[in-house]
Amino acid sequence: MSSPKLPPLSSPPATRLCFSRDLFLFSFYAMGMPFIDVAHLKKKQIEGDVLSYYRQKTGTKVQVRVESCMRDIMNRYDTPSSPYVFPILRDGATAAEMALRYRSALSYHNRLLKKIGCMAGLARPLTTYVARHSWASAAYKDGVNINVIAQA
């Protein structure tokens, strides 16, 4: 039995696997943005071609240039009535509801990433952390200043 194939990136988001793939790629493109920050990312944090946010974990301000590949992913999941970039959290929820929804989304996302990793024949499990670590490794290899890598 052959593994199912994910639609190409240019196709509409047909499945949750596509959504997880796109979130993984967005995280990588956004300098390894942690999943918690992707989940909490609001449209108002993007001005022109600059995405600015404060890391949930450290409070550190991070600014990322929005590339066309990132914009394509954001546009694919745009919900005009939501302040959030991605349909993970819901506006108007209590802090407890937001925390529960976030934990559930992270767990589900990582399960789907592991499935995608298996479909791709990867030897190691694919997780949200892999996007962060892969960006940092690629940036280091390309000679990006270590302070920029540390900030991200």
Side-chain angles (χ1 to χ4, degrees):
M1 178 180 200
S2 65
S3 297
K5 301 292 183 217
L6 291 173
L9 289 175
S10 60
S11 68
T15 69
R16 294 307 249 159
L17 284 174
C18 293
F19 184 55
S20 285
R21 172 204 56 204
D22 288 347
L23 290 180
F24 180 88
L25 290 171
F26 183 86
S27 173
F28 178 85
Y29 297 147
M31 297 173 50
M33 180 185 270
F35 184 77
I36 191 165
D37 296 323
V38 171
H40 285 88
L41 185 62
K42 292 189 173 183
K43 295 171 188 174
K44 68 181 181 182
Q45 294 172 276
I46 302 166
E47 292 185 22
D49 288 337
V50 178
L51 180 160
S52 299
Y53 71 99
Y54 289 91
R55 289 214 40 218
Q56 295 279 326
K57 183 177 179 180
T58 64
T60 304
K61 185 175 184 176
V62 179
Q63 291 187 306
V64 178
R65 182 171 174 224
V66 178
E67 302 292 341
S68 62
C69 54
M70 296 165 67
R71 194 159 308 277
D72 289 345
I73 292 170
M74 291 186 293
N75 289 340
R76 209 173 335 223
Y77 299 97
D78 183 37
T79 304
S81 62
S82 175
Y84 293 100
V85 173
F86 296 108
I88 300 169
L89 302 178
R90 294 217 168 84
D91 195 33
T94 67
E97 291 168 336
M98 294 279 265
L100 179 62
R101 185 158 176 88
Y102 165 75
R103 285 192 307 274
S104 175
L106 176 61
S107 176
Y108 188 63
H109 180 53
N110 275 322
R111 280 195 308 265
L112 292 178
L113 286 177
K114 286 178 181 145
K115 184 174 182 176
I116 292 168
C118 287
M119 291 167 64
L122 301 179
R124 291 190 174 182
L126 197 59
T127 66
T128 57
Y129 182 75
V130 172
R132 289 183 49 68
H133 181 75
S134 296
W135 178 83
S137 296
Y140 181 77
K141 185 177 178 183
D142 285 348
V144 172
N145 184 301
I146 196 74
N147 291 329
V148 172
I149 297 171
Q151 177 197 19

